[in-house]
Amino acid sequence: MSVSIVARKIRDMEIRGALDIAIAAAKAMRRELEEPSKNTAGLIARLKNSGQILKNSRPTAVSLPNSINYVLYLAEKNKELELGEFRNTLSREIKNFIHEQNLALEKIAEIGSNIIQDKDIILTHCNSDTVLAILHSAWNSGKKIRVFCTETRPRYQGHISARELSRIGIPVTLIVDSAARFVMEKMKVDRVLVGGDTVYANGVLINKIGTSQIASSAKELEVEFLAAVECIKFSPESLLGKRVKIEDRSPKEVLEKTIKGVKVFNPAFDLTMPEFIDLIITEEGAIPPHGVYSLLKEKFSWEL
Ligand code: RUB
């Protein structure tokens, strides 16, 4: 798919979830290598421009700029190559990068599945492929888990999670978002497991709106709170004090018909503070939030 199509699909949430967004962007950048160009410098300029278009498509998941910046770093590294060789080398390296992201997902599924116990009752919010991979792996290893999915207003991504879990055969129950605390207490939920769009160096997790409310209820009820995120979702720029923009989406997602005199505010993500998070499950291991800093410096040495 071309850069403009991928950018549109990300903006319209046809492509969504922070990992899928990162992979789709890398694939679109790889496709750009097929475009005509006089020389390597011209193609790099084109990649930079395409990268900007993709970066502008959605603001909150840092996996998107990370993926593009990595491709641009690879392009810069190979800039002395003549055009044909540049195209081949970069295409291979982007393919490797995409492969690594898929391996990261598999590794997280394995690590996360070790944390899940037989007969666990788990609550998840929104729709995260990384969370689903863990639950799938735990189920396949014979753990008889049960899952509660919040519906995740206003876009109902919880339906996607519930449908997928049910397809696998995992007993799943859909609840309204505001039932999360009640269900955690009454149904004796063992663990909350969510994905993430961005993780700052100080261990702050940015994920679908409502995550922080669930995390604070989990803390109060002594329910373990786990976040599953590939390192591509760590924010190197947070070390420079920069913050991502919390996406503000259309009021139409909340109200089909406007109510006279009523404004709608529709933020799509929120911040969960590190003290509410027990573990962040990454492909490098399950770490406490204060471990993000060192892992970030290690994984993003090329950027820093
Ligand atoms: C999706 C969301 C997911 C993360 C992680 O929000 O918050 O929890 O993106 O997903 P939206 P994954 O539906 O607005 O994109 O684990 O698949 O990367």
Side-chain angles (χ1 to χ4, degrees), residues 66-108:
N66 281 347
S67 171
I68 291 156
N69 288 345
Y70 188 63
V71 170
L72 293 176
Y73 157 78
L74 293 174
E76 205 57 36
K77 184 169 71 83
N78 291 306
K79 69 176 178 202
E80 304 303 340
L81 298 180
E82 62 81 24
L83 189 57
E85 214 184 326
F86 175 81
R87 282 194 166 112
N88 291 338
T89 307
L90 195 54
S91 171
R92 197 177 53 247
E93 291 184 347
I94 299 175
K95 202 171 165 201
N96 284 345
F97 166 67
I98 294 167
H99 181 61
E100 277 166 20
Q101 297 317 308
N102 289 319
L103 288 182
L105 180 62
E106 282 174 28
K107 190 71 196 164
I108 293 180

Side-chain angles (χ1 to χ4, degrees), residues 104-220:
L105 180 62
E106 282 174 28
K107 190 71 196 164
I108 293 180
E110 184 193 327
I111 297 172
S113 149
N114 291 336
I115 297 173
I116 307 286
Q117 300 296 304
D118 189 26
K119 300 198 174 61
D120 263 2
I121 302 180
I122 295 159
L123 184 139
T124 189
H125 183 52
C126 195
N127 172 247
S128 152
D129 283 348
T130 316
V131 165
L132 293 186
I134 292 176
L135 298 175
H136 199 162
S137 169
W139 182 255
N140 282 350
S141 66
K143 291 172 181 164
K144 298 285 171 227
I145 55 174
R146 284 197 289 144
V147 181
F148 285 94
C149 293
T150 58
E151 57 178 1
T152 318
R153 283 275 296 153
R155 303 274 308 205
Y156 300 105
Q157 292 93 326
H159 291 197
I160 306 172
S161 300
R163 199 174 298 120
E164 177 60 12
L165 293 169
S166 166
R167 192 190 61 76
I168 298 167
I170 299 179
V172 57
T173 307
L174 195 66
I175 58 171
V176 297
D177 299 326
S178 41
R181 190 199 172 282
F182 180 86
V183 167
M184 261 188 264
E185 188 174 26
K186 293 291 172 219
M187 308 310 266
K188 304 204 179 336
V189 167
D190 296 287
R191 272 163 259 283
V192 172
L193 178 58
V194 296
D197 290 82
T198 292
V199 179
Y200 289 151
N202 60 2
V204 166
L205 170 78
I206 302 180
N207 191 49
K208 181 52 56 194
I209 191 80
T211 303
S212 66
Q213 270 174 316
I214 295 174
S216 77
S217 295
K219 181 91 181 165
E220 180 212 340

